[in-house]
Amino acid sequence: MVGLTRPRTFRDVALIFLGAAGMHFTTSFLGPFTEQTSSIVVQTQVDSDFPSNVNAVHGNPISPHDHDPFRRPVDNAPVQPDAAPVPAPHQRQEPPEEPIKPVVDVPAVADIAYKIPETTLLSHAPGWTVFRNLYMSNGTVYIVTSRPKSFPDILYMTSTGLKADSTPENIQARLPTSQDMSFLTPEEARDLWGGDLDKMEKNRIWSVSGNTAIINEPSQFLDHYYHFVAEWLFGAWAFWQGTFNAVVKPESAAVSDVPPLHRLIFANADANGWRDRPGFNSYVLRSAFPALDVEVEDDWDDRILATSNPDHPRRAWHFDTVLFTDRSAAFKGALCGSQNQRIASEATEHMRKAGNLTKLWWEPVRRGVLRFAGIDERTLDLGVKADAVVAGRNKLKPLAGIDRQQQQQQQQQQQGSSTKVASGLSDKDIVITYISRQSSRASRHLLEEDHAALVATLEEMVKKHGWELNVVEAEKLSKEQQLAIAARTTIMLGVHGNGLTHLLMMPVTPVSSVIEIFIPGGFAHDYHWTSQALGMRHFAIWNDTARTYPNEPPVDYPEGFQGTQIPVYPPAVVQVIEDRIAGLHPFDGPPDHYDH
């Protein structure tokens, strides 16, 4: 007998709804508790050395469970060496790992009330790591994962954050332990911080929402204009943009589509520990990132102390998305550690080789600073427009019966100068800036007679060509005046020194260059590497000799490097400048750099 269908009452509908809601509730809260394994630990610090075998001073393997959740923070406590050496990476027997997934469909805010989201690795190079869902409790940074072997060794991500020197004891003391960074399985994390589901308790985890950069190094290098802006900020911006494959277009070079950074945490430097004496570090940071919140060591210690009470149920901070940086870890990389000693190189070259950096990736920071300093739009666009002029000329096909050289000669005759053909700039836009250190009586400047001769020779050169010359004593100018000059500079020259950091604010044109004067035999990578990373040519001057890629000299600091008797032969400098402006030294730097 077939029953008759009766109409559904309001009571029937309510019961169906309650049943469905109950199933959803059960699935949501019991679903995460599947069987998983493994766990890990990390620590943070700055480095200035590169041992040929980092494992020779590493100590024992770090156990996933070798940590004390309620340890008392100890300031700069040295790491004690363990008994057995860690096997070299090529000796480890690890299962095949899945490639890191691209950053897509990442939820805006993680749900941590009843779940503990696993940590994911968005990108990594030695010293530079972007995490999703990172945790910290009582000073230990925690990676919650069921796949710890998919993460790099922690010594490539963090350190103890101690001041760096090259002694074996200091190298050992800066190696991270499980008290610095550690791995937890999801089950272990729930045991530590999970609420009682039977009582509907939320997890004891407090989320720091948004995007955070954590700098795990002391003030040793941070309070220097070059090391903070040209190393840390330069590398951080490249790595952050590359992680999200951000695009910067010539027609809107002040804008990047990268997610914003919301806060910056100096975990081992106080409020003065990241500020340089001239004040450029804070000026650049605040003008380029006006909404950025800054926390310092005291604030980080507040978070540590708030989660360190052994008489209270364990608690943790959850960081939604984190750029975690460490100078010592960067020096474990092949580029920084053994080739150029620049921590930013690990970040920029990783992203450049991955194809994740557009040519104008630095422009949003540069333009943010210069706009704040009052620089006009025409000046800001000098590099982009010069590139467009030269690119357009190079795309022209030679006319029938006329070869390329004849066409260039005709263009030069029409323009009245060869300058624009090679540089994309008119003569009035060619600016030579000499950063003079002569008023610095204590260290690094030219012989007085050579300085006077250099200025006189440069004046004759610019008069002949219709160019502009600035002889700058930075300490006599305001920040805005210094930046206004740098924003228009085509060729910057000077004795090795902090003033050359302003090359970061130069427009990158097809002929932009940095000329660095050393005591003969001396050489350093600082401004050499940064120039090339931006796509500019670098020349090292030894009195009457110029050295440039691919014939750069080796790094050396001979007697007199820091002295006040550095010689220079002015005609050699003028020859380099004139040849460069004429296009005789196109930028053909190391592989993976931009071509000019």
Side-chain angles (χ1 to χ4, degrees):
M1 179 176 178
V2 178
L4 296 177
T5 302
R6 67 178 179 84
R8 289 188 176 88
T9 66
F10 176 79
R11 176 177 174 275
D12 295 330
V13 173
L15 289 173
I16 292 171
F17 174 78
L18 289 173
M23 290 296 293
H24 177 74
F25 178 89
T26 304
T27 302
S28 299
F29 293 102
L30 299 183
F33 299 101
T34 55
E35 185 175 356
Q36 297 172 347
T37 57
S38 290
S39 111
I40 235 186
V41 176
V42 161
Q43 139 108 16
T44 58
Q45 157 65 27
V46 175
D47 201 313
S48 195
D49 54 86
F50 180 75
S52 57
N53 180 3
V54 295
N55 294 301
V57 291
H58 188 280
N60 277 344
I62 297 173
S63 166
H65 306 278
D66 181 21
H67 61 274
D68 176 7
F70 291 123
R71 69 181 178 89
R72 294 291 183 181
V74 179
D75 293 337
N76 296 339
V79 177
Q80 297 300 322
D82 294 321
V86 171
H90 67 277
Q91 296 174 328
R92 298 175 190 158
Q93 299 297 318
E94 298 183 351
E97 298 173 0
E98 299 177 11
I100 296 173
K101 302 295 189 299
V103 184
V104 293
D105 299 327
V106 177
V109 179
D111 177 12
I112 61 165
Y114 299 100
K115 300 178 182 179
I116 301 180
E118 290 198 30
T119 306
T120 55
L121 189 69
L122 303 188
S123 57
H124 169 74
W128 306 87
T129 310
V130 178
F131 295 100
R132 174 75 176 164
N133 299 317
L134 193 65
Y135 301 82
M136 190 276 277
S137 180
N138 193 31
T140 299
V141 175
Y142 287 96
I143 297 170
V144 176
T145 180
S146 55
R147 298 177 59 249
K149 290 185 178 180
S150 67
F151 289 81
D153 189 308
I154 66 170
L155 66 84
Y156 293 104
M157 296 189 286
T158 191
S159 72
T160 57
L162 297 176
K163 184 177 179 180
D165 62 51
S166 58
T167 65
E169 294 79 10
N170 179 263
I171 294 171
Q172 174 66 46
R174 284 183 284 116
L175 291 173
T177 74
S178 60
Q179 292 187 348
D180 302 306
M181 184 175 278
S182 182
F183 291 91
L184 294 175
T185 65
E187 290 81 5
E188 289 171 328
R190 177 158 290 283
D191 288 344
L192 287 173
W193 311 316
D196 188 338
L197 291 178
D198 292 336
K199 298 179 181 180
M200 290 298 294
E201 290 179 351
K202 293 183 179 180
N203 294 327
R204 295 181 300 278
I205 300 174
W206 280 259
S207 187
V208 183
S209 61
N211 304 319
T212 303
I214 299 176
I215 306 178
N216 188 48
E217 63 174 283
S219 60
Q220 180 181 10
F221 295 99
L222 291 174
D223 61 357
H224 189 280
Y225 180 32
Y226 175 82
H227 292 297
F228 179 69
V229 177
E231 280 204 282
W232 184 82
L233 183 58
F234 195 77
W237 184 245
F239 206 70
W240 186 249
Q241 287 221 122
T243 296
F244 297 96
N245 205 15
V247 175
V248 180
K249 299 178 180 179
E251 61 270 21
S252 56
V255 179
S256 169
D257 61 1
V258 72
L261 280 170
H262 299 106
R263 72 187 53 79
L264 175 59
I265 299 177
F266 294 91
N268 293 294
D270 62 22
N272 293 318
W274 66 276
R275 290 175 163 90
D276 61 318
R277 282 182 295 176
F280 271 105
N281 286 355
S282 57
Y283 189 99
V284 169
L285 188 68
R286 300 300 189 182
S287 58
F289 305 94
L292 187 71
D293 290 331
V294 175
E295 296 184 14
V296 295
E297 187 175 21
D298 285 345
D299 302 296
W300 186 248
D301 287 346
D302 286 345
R303 296 185 186 277
I304 293 174
L305 292 172
T307 55
S308 64
N309 186 351
D311 299 324
H312 190 281
R314 300 171 184 179
R315 293 161 291 185
W317 302 103
H318 162 265
F319 292 88
D320 191 63
T321 304
V322 175
L323 168 60
F324 193 94
T325 74
D326 189 286
R327 177 174 289 268
S328 289
F331 269 83
K332 299 299 185 287
L335 287 175
C336 178
S338 62
Q339 295 184 31
N340 55 46
Q341 294 75 54
R342 302 278 73 82
I343 63 171
S345 66
E346 295 292 343
T348 58
E349 296 313 301
H350 175 87
M351 289 304 176
R352 184 169 285 135
K353 289 178 179 178
N356 288 5
L357 283 185
T358 56
K359 180 178 180 179
L360 298 174
W361 66 271
W362 179 246
E363 276 295 289
V365 174
R366 173 181 172 269
R367 291 185 182 224
V369 175
L370 294 179
R371 276 205 176 100
F372 187 84
I375 308 305
D376 62 274
E377 292 299 317
R378 180 188 178 278
T379 300
L380 293 177
D381 281 337
L382 281 172
V384 170
K385 290 185 176 179
D387 265 353
V389 168
V390 173
R393 176 180 60 80
N394 289 338
K395 289 178 181 178
L396 292 176
K397 295 181 179 180
L399 300 175
I402 301 179
D403 62 23
R404 172 68 72 183
Q405 185 175 3
Q406 288 176 312
Q407 185 175 4
Q408 290 178 347
Q409 290 173 351
Q410 288 184 1
Q411 290 172 339
Q412 291 175 17
Q413 292 172 359
Q414 293 170 359
Q415 297 170 359
S417 169
S418 63
T419 299
K420 195 162 189 175
V421 174
S423 68
L425 300 168
S426 62
D427 285 332
K428 67 182 180 63
D429 288 325
I430 298 294
V431 178
I432 314 301
T433 298
Y434 167 36
I435 308 293
S436 170
R437 293 177 57 89
Q438 295 308 110
S439 60
S440 176
R441 300 297 175 184
S443 66
R444 284 199 312 279
H445 62 73
L446 297 177
L447 291 162
E448 287 296 339
E449 57 270 28
D450 285 10
H451 163 73
L454 177 61
V455 172
T457 306
L458 291 173
E459 289 174 343
E460 292 176 6
M461 176 193 69
V462 299
K463 183 178 180 180
K464 178 176 68 174
H465 295 289
W467 302 340
E468 177 184 331
L469 172 66
N470 296 296
V471 179
V472 174
E473 293 184 6
E475 62 274 14
K476 297 180 180 179
L477 301 177
S478 68
K479 294 179 181 65
E480 287 76 12
Q481 289 172 320
Q482 294 179 53
L483 292 171
I485 293 172
R488 298 171 53 248
T489 295
T490 316
I491 306 285
M492 182 177 287
L493 67 141
V495 172
H496 173 79
N498 198 32
L500 293 178
T501 305
H502 282 328
L503 70 90
L504 293 170
M505 300 300 153
M506 291 170 57
V508 181
T509 73
V511 297
S512 295
S513 303
V514 174
I515 300 174
E516 191 171 1
I517 304 170
F518 296 94
I519 192 79
F523 187 70
H525 276 306
D526 305 55
Y527 311 103
H528 159 256
W529 180 84
T530 310
S531 301
Q532 291 190 332
L534 283 171
M536 296 190 286
R537 171 69 80 165
H538 178 275
F539 297 87
I541 299 293
W542 289 352
N543 193 12
D544 59 354
T545 303
R547 302 284 295 272
T548 190
Y549 178 85
N551 298 312
E552 302 104 319
V555 173
D556 197 8
Y557 301 91
E559 184 177 355
F561 185 91
Q562 305 283 4
T564 60
Q565 303 293 307
I566 299 173
V568 69
Y569 181 59
V573 176
V574 168
Q575 186 66 54
V576 168
I577 294 173
E578 291 181 331
D579 286 351
R580 181 65 171 132
I581 298 300
L584 298 184
H585 292 288
F587 183 78
D588 55 353
D592 304 313
H593 285 87
Y594 303 122
D595 293 330
H596 279 314

